[in-house]
Amino acid sequence: MRKKVTVVGSGNVGATAAHWIASKELADVVLIDIIEGVPQGKGLDLLEAMPIEKRDSHVLGTNDYADTANSDIVVITAGIPRKLGMSRDDLLNTNHKIMKDVVGKAIEFSPHSILIVVSNPLDAMAQAAHKMCGFSRERVIGMAGVLDSARFRAFIAEHLDVSVENVTAFVLGGHGDTMVPLPRYSTVAGIPITELLDAQTIEKLVQRTRDGGAEIVKYLKTGSAYYAPSAAVAEMVEAILKDKKKILPCAAYLQGEYGINGLFVGVPVKLGAKGIEQIIEIKLTPQEQEQLNRSAAAVKELVGVIGL
Ligand SMILES: NC(=O)c1ccc[n+]([C@@H]2O[C@H](COP(=O)([O-])OP(=O)(O)OC[C@H]3O[C@@H](n4cnc5c(N)ncnc54)[C@H](O)[C@@H]3O)[C@@H](O)[C@H]2O)c1
């Protein structure tokens, strides 16, 4: 049986995620959106690219959740990106409403799926989706850390003029501002970057990573990043569908790990066919733990606003 992935929201992140997933032949893809015509047009366009890409992935665009039935994975990108001048709470409330609309419909048709949440504010939306669907925590995963660590890796590789393949990066915590990078576990060919770069340079790269989303918004003006975010989604989809047991930083519902209970926070997890198969706990320094606690407090504040 071929695998099936539904992508809810066929805007920039959703359509580009569908592109990566289909062009890597990971699964058949259903793109769904509230806007009529857009998913159909983008889906058909992607389908027509497959002969050139030599891929047999089927791509369908639709407004009807019946077409998404029995998906193995549902990726939720529906929502608005934060616009200039928009308050965090406005974004939170708008996207929470959208979540309420899409999660119930998606899981009605794909009750055995694994959810990957992408909509922002990420950790709070993952928490909302988890509560709405009632799935076990293994099957609701937030995408943020793969993107944040990819940005950090790209900046480290560029700075040291080495292959991105040699660079690994380790980040914990919430998406963006409250991200907690762990330089001592970020390496170039196994060498911790703390051996290769001075503290000031590392801090500069870390800050650029924290501001990675804003740097792109500043250039684009009317939208936010989508190539790297959707590539991050595709990596998570691949890890699950191929049961790769890959260790990736993802937002997961913590139940005591890292001293945090009942909240979605970014931590290293093992992604395989069952979704989150393990949460990897490492010993943090008091300063790292404090940063992680601050990150968790920020998520707690947001989920409080939407009454979760
Ligand atoms: N987690 C991350 O690291 C990360 C990275 C990038 C973007 N994002 C977030 O992903 C979301 C999407 O970003 P984008 O750039 O693709 O935005 P976009 O505006 O290009 O696309 C969003 C799509 O969602 C659709 N939509 C809205 N309400 C819907 C509903 N009820 N049902 C179905 N579809 C609906 C819209 O019609 C639109 O096509 C935003 O919230 C953004 O902030 C998160």
Side-chain angles (χ1 to χ4, degrees), residues 3 72-73 112-114 138-139 141 236-246 270-277:
K3 299 291 184 182
D72 297 281
I73 297 179
H112 306 296
S113 58
I114 289 171
E138 287 76 16
R139 289 166 55 209
I141 313 160
M236 291 167 68
V237 165
E238 182 173 33
I240 295 167
L241 293 183
K242 293 188 178 170
D243 194 21
K244 284 177 83 85
K245 321 246 181 238
K246 202 168 189 177
K270 187 197 282 179
L271 279 194
K274 297 189 190 82
I276 295 178
E277 298 190 348

Side-chain angles (χ1 to χ4, degrees), residues 3-148:
K3 299 291 184 182
K4 181 170 176 179
V5 175
T6 284
V7 181
V8 185
S10 53
N12 283 337
V13 177
T16 318
H19 182 190
W20 293 112
I21 294 165
S23 64
K24 288 170 189 261
E25 212 172 43
L26 298 178
D28 290 340
V29 184
V30 178
L31 255 182
I32 186 161
D33 202 284
I34 201 165
I35 300 176
E36 284 178 24
V38 170
Q40 288 85 345
K42 290 186 181 181
L44 185 58
D45 198 7
L46 278 170
L47 180 77
E48 291 166 359
M50 292 303 114
I52 303 167
E53 289 285 293
K54 303 179 187 68
R55 300 298 194 194
D56 282 311
S57 310
H58 190 269
V59 187
L60 174 79
T62 184
N63 306 113
D64 183 354
Y65 278 86
D67 292 324
T68 71
N70 301 318
S71 294
D72 297 281
I73 297 179
V74 175
V75 179
I76 302 181
T77 75
I80 52 165
R82 189 162 166 181
K83 298 181 184 118
L84 273 175
M86 183 176 214
S87 83
R88 200 190 49 178
D89 286 1
D90 282 349
L91 177 80
L92 181 67
N93 287 318
T94 306
N95 284 352
H96 185 221
K97 262 190 224 135
I98 293 174
M99 270 316 192
K100 280 189 189 151
D101 177 43
V102 305
V103 172
K105 290 179 191 159
I107 65 161
E108 181 190 339
F109 288 94
S110 300
H112 306 296
S113 58
I114 289 171
L115 300 187
I116 298 178
V117 178
V118 181
S119 312
N120 273 324
L122 187 273
D123 306 273
M125 289 305 106
Q127 183 113 1
H130 178 242
K131 191 159 182 210
M132 287 168 200
C133 69
F135 287 1
S136 68
R137 69 168 179 166
E138 287 76 16
R139 289 166 55 209
V140 184
I141 313 160
M143 186 293 287
V146 177
L147 170 63
D148 288 331

